[in-house]
Amino acid sequence: MPGRTWELCLLLLLGLGLRSQEALSPPCESEIYCHGELLHQVQMAKLYQDDKQFVDMPLSIAPEQVLQTFTELSRDHNHSIPREQLQVFVHEHFQAKGQELQPWTPADWKDSPQFLQKISDAKLRAWAGQLHQLWKKLGKKMKPEVLSHPERFSLIYSEHPFIVPGGRFVEFYYCYGHVPNGGRVYYLQRSQPPLLTLMMDCYLTHTNDTAFLQENTETLALELDFWTKNRTVSVSLEGKNYLLNHYYVPYGGPRPESYSKDAELADTLPEGDREALWAELKAGAESGWDFSSRWLIGGPNPNSLSGIRTSKLVPVDLNAFLCQAEELMSNFYSRLGNDSQATKYRILRSQRLAALNAVLWDEETGAWFDYDLENKKKNREFYPSNLTPLWAGCFSDPGVADKALKYLEDNRILTYQYGIPTSLQKTGQQWDFPNAWAPLQDLVIRGLAKAPLRRAQEVAFQLAQNWIRTNFDVYSQKSAMYEKYDVSNGGQPGGGGEYEVQEGFGWTNGVVLMLLDRYGDRLTSGAQLAFLEPHCLAAALLPSLLLSLLPQ
């Protein structure tokens, strides 16, 4: 194994350097896509603007031949191949990214779905029709070669077609005992946040396909077992122990898709701290919030990504997702007549609810907060994720929606007319101010909309109206949907983080279509709303309240 020889030599040159921590296993065995000298030299030469491009490129020939040729070339150049020759080598031995995929249109796709007729505003209705067409552009299926020669691809084979997010993300998200961070070999040790059970619930709501549930219940249980076995932490408070979950990826080396950035960041730290840094970066990627002040606050260097400490925090959203999943699993098993399993998940949900209340909930503020395991205190900064239990239905206090509204008002979140900001911290990371992301709008909007409080429901609509107009206005200017938007710059496409803002875009399209489906009879494409200042909130709600008092 040529790459192994190089790694051993490097360790010797570093003086067997992992002083404070032993070397961790690589994210996969591939000496091309996950670790080794070839990956290191190509990525550090920065042949591509985005490191992900290289690790998504298929091989033209067998990996053993590629490695043998590379080893000889590297030896001839004293393990430092000139950039131009590396480019020639890659061109000769790799295919362009995306070659393993071909277009696919879902079999049940309809040109003019029924929900479009519910949208009153003609401009919004036309726009929704254009967004609906994008599913065909984002639909993909794999070529047979991925099955016959899996060793030549970082993409993991799936016989089923799928929808990709768009932009740099041209892979599926699929169950593999858990749902990996993406359908690539280098992502296999990182999960996505656990939302597979919720997807099943959405599918059942629309199809009532109990046979499909019966066939796949154990797959759903596997995902929850993964989090229990691999991502559980114990928190002791006032003499009681509570089991909750965190993001945690104990695998070594730079992330292959961001290799050069991780390697350069590690160069700022002592050698013995680098493996820990790389593991924390992977945990941040597992959270979906890669990266954010959420994972930096509380450490010795909260202003630098080198101080990331994702695994040291117990996240509100992760535990709300699991709480919701446990409730759904209990419901599923009841539906299937399995009372013992239904009881098991009902008890798990009850235990998690008690832990959420004891560890993460703050009565004075009226919100939940991430818990810092090292500093033994809550992170009280604003993030939309602080209200995820409201969205997930994981609370017992009937007055929680009213408290959530006050929390949004106290933090002046309702004054942002282009969307709810991801935080109030301006760090340059993409999951911080001034970016707004579609899934986080959904968490707050649907959390408030489900509340019995009329005032909360109306604020949910106003937030939906703001987000729809932001997306519609940008689409009108650029004929594209984006992964994130800048609330400080008129709602223009967002920025920051490790890569350029991406077009596509799966979750942005999905949230817009969901909001148009829900509020289509009320949403308009007109001028932006005024700020929802807290003292003006009553005025914003007054027309709806007056209408509700009129005789029916």
Side-chain angles (χ1 to χ4, degrees):
M1 294 283 192
R4 288 289 184 195
T5 305
W6 171 82
E7 286 175 345
L8 291 170
C9 290
L10 181 61
L11 283 174
L12 289 170
L13 288 170
L14 292 174
L16 299 174
L18 303 176
R19 286 184 288 273
S20 65
Q21 183 175 342
E22 293 182 4
L24 298 171
S25 300
C28 82
E29 291 303 312
S30 170
E31 294 185 61
I32 293 172
Y33 294 119
C34 284
H35 66 109
E37 186 183 6
L38 189 157
L39 178 66
H40 181 81
Q41 286 208 41
V42 171
Q43 297 290 50
M44 297 311 292
K46 299 185 180 179
L47 301 185
Y48 306 99
Q49 187 176 1
D50 184 350
D51 286 350
K52 191 175 189 302
Q53 182 167 339
F54 172 66
V55 289
D56 290 356
M57 294 167 63
L59 297 172
S60 299
I61 55 175
E64 295 79 10
Q65 294 173 272
V66 174
L67 285 168
Q68 182 178 349
T69 304
F70 174 82
T71 302
E72 293 167 0
L73 183 64
S74 183
R75 188 170 57 237
D76 290 345
H77 291 279
N78 197 24
H79 299 281
S80 182
I81 304 169
R83 191 173 192 275
E84 295 74 17
Q85 288 184 250
L86 266 179
Q87 285 177 316
V88 171
F89 170 81
V90 170
H91 180 74
E92 289 177 349
H93 294 86
F94 290 80
Q95 301 173 24
K97 173 182 176 178
Q99 293 297 302
E100 67 273 53
L101 298 172
Q102 53 194 28
W104 167 74
T105 299
D108 59 351
W109 189 90
K110 294 180 177 62
D111 188 61
S112 185
Q114 229 174 358
F115 86 92
L116 293 177
Q117 306 315 311
K118 295 162 57 178
I119 303 171
S120 300
D121 186 294
K123 290 182 180 178
L124 291 182
R125 188 165 60 250
W127 175 46
Q130 292 170 358
L131 296 188
H132 179 63
Q133 295 287 331
L134 289 178
W135 297 128
K136 292 194 292 184
K137 181 180 177 182
L138 298 173
K140 307 290 181 186
K141 63 179 179 181
M142 294 190 193
K143 294 180 179 176
E145 304 91 90
V146 186
L147 175 62
S148 58
H149 295 287
E151 70 282 358
R152 297 188 184 184
F153 302 89
S154 67
L155 193 67
I156 299 165
Y157 179 74
S158 167
E159 63 179 298
H160 303 294
F162 47 89
I163 301 289
V164 300
R168 75 199 284 260
F169 305 105
V170 289
E171 53 269 328
F172 61 89
Y173 298 81
Y174 217 64
C175 195
Y176 208 84
H178 60 285
V179 177
N181 218 200
R184 303 270 177 189
V185 292
Y186 55 80
Y187 281 141
L188 275 177
Q189 307 306 332
R190 294 177 239 164
S191 180
Q192 281 283 341
L195 294 166
L196 187 63
T197 307
L198 178 60
M199 295 178 204
M200 175 65 83
D201 185 59
C202 293
Y203 174 77
L204 281 176
T205 299
H206 287 278
T207 66
N208 200 32
D209 188 350
T210 305
F212 185 75
L213 173 65
Q214 179 83 57
E215 291 167 17
N216 292 285
T217 310
E218 292 310 308
T219 299
L220 303 180
L222 275 177
E223 186 191 34
L224 299 191
D225 289 347
F226 168 85
W227 288 92
T228 299
K229 292 173 184 174
N230 301 295
R231 306 287 192 265
T232 296
V233 290
S234 178
V235 180
S236 298
L237 281 179
E238 299 178 356
K240 290 186 178 179
N241 289 332
Y242 299 95
L243 294 180
L244 288 163
N245 293 81
H246 67 153
Y247 294 109
Y248 176 62
V249 185
Y251 286 84
R255 290 169 296 151
E257 79 280 11
S258 299
Y259 193 101
S260 64
K261 293 179 178 67
D262 287 5
E264 289 167 356
L265 187 64
D267 285 343
T268 67
L269 297 179
E271 290 164 11
D273 295 339
R274 293 174 185 175
E275 289 280 30
L277 167 68
W278 291 327
E280 293 292 354
L281 290 168
K282 293 185 184 77
E286 179 172 75
S287 77
W289 289 56
D290 43 341
F291 293 104
S292 169
S293 59
R294 279 183 81 185
W295 316 132
L296 303 175
I297 285 174
N301 194 4
N303 298 314
S304 170
L305 194 55
S306 63
I308 188 168
R309 48 198 300 275
T310 315
S311 70
K312 308 302 188 295
L313 292 140
V314 178
V316 171
D317 43 2
L318 171 59
N319 285 281
F321 295 151
L322 288 166
C323 179
Q324 180 188 56
E326 287 156 353
E327 181 176 30
L328 290 172
M329 287 295 284
S330 180
N331 295 342
F332 292 163
Y333 277 116
S334 291
R335 183 170 179 168
L336 297 172
N338 190 331
D339 293 340
S340 63
Q341 287 297 305
T343 300
K344 168 191 166 181
Y345 283 102
R346 188 163 57 250
I347 292 170
L348 287 172
R349 194 253 184 191
S350 175
Q351 291 170 341
R352 189 177 300 275
L353 185 58
L356 282 165
N357 289 337
V359 180
L360 307 181
W361 171 253
D362 184 77
E363 180 64 33
E364 183 181 347
T365 314
W368 297 262
F369 296 100
D370 298 342
Y371 183 79
D372 190 321
L373 293 164
E374 286 188 334
N375 296 315
K376 300 188 184 307
K377 64 179 184 180
K378 297 177 177 74
N379 171 11
R380 296 181 184 276
E381 294 295 330
F382 170 79
Y383 304 98
S385 54
N386 293 344
L387 296 181
T388 310
L390 182 66
W391 171 88
C394 285
F395 57 89
S396 52
D397 177 0
V400 79
D402 201 32
K403 294 171 184 175
L405 266 183
K406 186 176 184 303
Y407 174 68
L408 293 170
E409 292 171 0
D410 289 347
N411 284 277
R412 297 181 60 79
I413 302 306
L414 303 179
T415 67
Y416 291 96
Q417 64 174 322
Y418 297 105
I420 300 164
T422 306
S423 80
L424 300 179
Q425 306 289 313
K426 195 167 186 178
T427 63
Q429 300 300 333
Q430 63 171 348
W431 288 85
D432 273 316
F433 190 87
N435 285 338
W437 295 80
L440 301 183
Q441 313 304 306
D442 178 53
L443 286 180
V444 178
I445 291 169
R446 277 205 285 170
L448 293 173
K450 289 191 290 187
L453 196 66
R454 181 63 179 268
R455 181 166 164 261
Q457 294 170 11
E458 194 57 29
V459 171
F461 168 71
Q462 300 291 357
L463 293 170
Q465 177 69 86
N466 283 354
W467 187 246
I468 286 293
R469 286 186 181 157
T470 292
N471 284 244
F472 176 73
D473 287 349
V474 172
Y475 188 89
S476 299
Q477 297 163 19
K478 300 178 181 291
S479 298
M481 299 292 284
Y482 294 89
E483 60 173 350
K484 58 191 178 244
Y485 294 82
D486 183 343
V487 300
S488 70
N489 184 29
Q492 290 299 303
E498 298 184 304
Y499 55 82
E500 294 299 314
V501 65
Q502 301 294 298
E503 290 184 20
F505 197 85
W507 61 26
T508 311
N509 307 352
V511 168
V512 162
L513 292 173
M514 182 199 69
L515 294 176
L516 288 169
D517 182 42
R518 184 177 195 127
Y519 298 116
D521 58 336
R522 299 176 63 192
L523 292 167
T524 67
S525 58
Q528 283 281 355
L529 286 177
F531 295 124
L532 280 174
E533 291 281 3
H535 62 271
C536 294
L537 200 52
L541 301 173
L542 190 58
S544 296
L545 294 175
L546 288 174
L547 282 171
S548 69
L549 296 174
L550 292 175
Q552 300 298 312

